[in-house]
Amino acid sequence: MSAKLEGVRVLDISRVLSGPYCSMALADLGAEVIKVEPPEGDETRTWPPFYPCGESGYYQALNRNKKGIVLNMKHPQGKDVLLELAQKSDVMIENFTPGVVTRLGIDYESVKKVNPKIIYCSISGFGQTGPYRKKKAYDPVIQALGGGMSVTGFRGGPPAKIGIPVGDLGGSFIALSSILASLYTRERQGIGDYIDTAMLDGHVFMLSVMAAQYFADGKAPERWGLEHPWRVPSKTYRTKDGYITCTATSGNQYPLFCKVLGLEELIDDPRFKTNALRVKNREQFYPIVEKVMVTKTSEAWETRFIEAGLPSGIVKNLDQVFNDPQILDRGMLQIIDHPTIGKLKMIGVPFKFMNSQPKKMNPPPMLGEHTDEILHGILGYNDAKISRMRQEKVVA
Ligand SMILES: CC(C)(COP(=O)(O)OP(=O)(O)OC[C@H]1O[C@@H](n2cnc3c(N)ncnc32)[C@H](O)[C@@H]1OP(=O)(O)O)[C@@H](O)C(=O)NCCC(=O)NCCS
């Protein structure tokens, strides 16, 4: 049994988060990912948080299981090397400002000439078309322009940024699915493709049910903080020692919720008998519940909710997350050896199959770690040629 994407080679000239996260997922799935970095390295190598040895945690989080080559693509020879590598690759990923790859002579049209079957994926803030196409973007820009920020935060308060970089990650996931779909098509029809991924499209796609209110009645949704807009009770509550969330909105869940809280009188209260009534009367409902929730610890409530079969969860910080028995049981914390960091903690691989093996996890490459291996092994360059290119600062 081999890894799902064994035999697929990905040429990854992307950096920061959206591209590297996508190519890391492909690497986790078994693809051979060649990360191309400029002589100064992916800029995130200098971004905090730092390990005591000076390595960037940001970079480590996004680049495991890849091979690294340093290649100056602005040098004419560097461009040629890139095109040679593209010729021997199945997928290419870039996430520069639209126009950069054309300037460098490594855009889809140029690569297609040497490899007509390439699957070439561009990730940008807004896509290669439209009035914003030339705008640069990072996660908060996308969360702002895509509407996510407008529906996050407390009622009456300012908008809030979602703590996880969903603006970037939306682009990564759309790129990942598009690449996998294109690999399948290429398998059947023998044709490559150009994928134009926009982080903004990914974010708007994620609005999903939040867009429903606007589509249904033309009103932009408000911010609901820790409450669900259309389901009551569905809220995160303050407890004696923290916070816990519980959703109990269906017909049989609501009475159970009331019983767990010792609020049986609410079951048949005419103000709260149906979800629609509870949504309408939420201002009366929640204060009653909140008064009870603060009387016990989160753990005590969690035990009771589990016994009642209700969907609930204690709000955990990341220390608690990475010590959680379920997360550990699923292998979502991995510890691997890194040449300078030592024991390196990594988020585990979420892709799990019965009929294929996960790949052994390797640490992210040191800058230029596999330059020689790639030039020798994939392009067949000899030592003299590589050392000449090194002297001319084409590779490093
Ligand atoms: C992330 C972003 C804001 C950064 O902007 P930026 O730092 O100005 O970088 P650009 O993409 O415009 O340009 C990259 C430069 O690096 C150069 N470069 C990159 N890799 C190189 C290499 N291996 N060798 C030589 N030069 C290289 C490019 O040639 C370009 O230089 P140029 O403008 O002189 O041609 C922008 O790239 C962007 O909006 N990308 C799309 C959205 C995105 O992915 N955002 C990040 C989300 S995590």
Side-chain angles (χ1 to χ4, degrees), residues 78-377:
K79 181 190 101 172
D80 293 344
V81 173
L82 198 277
L83 289 174
E84 272 189 67
L85 284 171
Q87 200 176 1
K88 292 182 182 284
S89 299
D90 302 285
V91 177
M92 185 164 158
I93 304 174
E94 67 93 7
N95 71 331
F96 298 114
T97 308
V100 168
V101 285
T102 311
R103 235 174 15 243
L104 291 170
I106 52 166
D107 56 342
Y108 177 56
E109 292 310 320
S110 313
V111 172
K112 203 170 113 180
K113 280 189 192 132
V114 297
N115 182 355
K117 284 192 183 177
I118 192 88
I119 293 162
Y120 190 117
C121 178
S122 289
I123 305 174
S124 59
F126 306 97
Q128 307 294 315
T129 58
Y132 297 172
R133 66 188 181 282
K134 292 204 171 125
K135 253 171 91 72
K136 298 186 183 198
Y138 288 109
D139 169 60
V141 177
I142 299 302
Q143 290 199 32
L145 285 169
M149 251 186 218
S150 79
V151 294
T152 309
F154 289 94
R155 267 194 280 172
K161 187 170 82 66
I162 299 156
I164 294 166
V166 292
D168 292 332
L169 294 173
S172 312
F173 286 121
I174 301 301
L176 177 64
S177 344
S178 306
I179 290 168
L180 295 175
S182 302
L183 280 167
Y184 179 64
T185 305
R186 199 181 69 162
E187 213 45 46
R188 287 179 306 144
Q189 298 172 1
I191 52 166
D193 214 336
Y194 176 69
I195 301 164
D196 169 11
T197 305
M199 283 155 48
L200 186 66
D201 292 352
H203 198 65
V204 170
F205 191 52
M206 284 197 285
L207 290 177
S208 58
V209 293
M210 287 316 293
Q213 180 169 344
Y214 175 68
F215 292 153
D217 65 11
K219 287 193 195 129
E222 302 163 49
R223 292 184 267 286
W224 284 99
L226 296 171
E227 294 174 34
H228 194 290
W230 314 292
R231 303 180 77 186
V232 175
S234 179
K235 182 172 178 167
T236 302
Y237 307 94
R238 181 113 188 78
T239 63
K240 208 172 185 177
D241 63 347
Y243 292 88
I244 191 166
T245 194
C246 182
T247 294
T249 50
S250 73
N252 63 339
Q253 289 168 345
Y254 176 64
L256 289 172
F257 178 79
C258 295
K259 280 184 194 153
V260 168
L261 268 73
L263 292 171
E264 285 86 348
E265 69 276 16
L266 296 189
I267 298 175
D268 291 319
D269 189 314
R271 294 170 300 168
F272 310 135
K273 268 193 90 89
T274 63
N275 181 59
L277 282 166
R278 292 190 294 272
V279 169
K280 190 168 156 228
N281 298 317
R282 66 201 308 152
E283 306 295 349
Q284 294 166 54
F285 180 79
Y286 276 131
I288 303 172
V289 172
E290 280 160 6
K291 237 188 197 157
V292 177
M293 290 305 298
V294 289
T295 60
K296 289 189 185 12
T297 63
S298 301
E299 203 63 55
W301 285 123
E302 176 71 340
T303 308
R304 286 166 172 77
F305 286 139
I306 290 171
E307 274 167 15
L310 292 172
S312 62
I314 296 172
V315 176
K316 296 192 171 181
N317 65 28
L318 295 209
D319 181 37
Q320 294 165 315
V321 165
F322 288 112
N323 282 292
D324 184 304
Q326 178 66 23
I327 287 162
L328 297 180
D329 184 80
R330 299 284 298 169
M332 289 310 292
L333 172 67
Q334 295 288 321
I335 301 175
I336 57 172
D337 291 318
H338 184 279
T340 55
I341 295 170
K343 294 289 172 204
L344 174 64
K345 284 185 180 166
M346 291 255 108
I347 296 177
V349 175
F351 311 111
K352 290 167 175 113
F353 307 100
M354 191 181 280
N355 289 330
S356 66
Q357 283 288 2
K359 225 172 75 167
K360 180 182 165 282
M361 195 181 281
N362 290 313
M366 303 299 284
L367 186 58
E369 182 179 340
H370 306 99
T371 297
D372 287 30
E373 181 188 319
I374 290 164
L375 296 175
H376 271 305

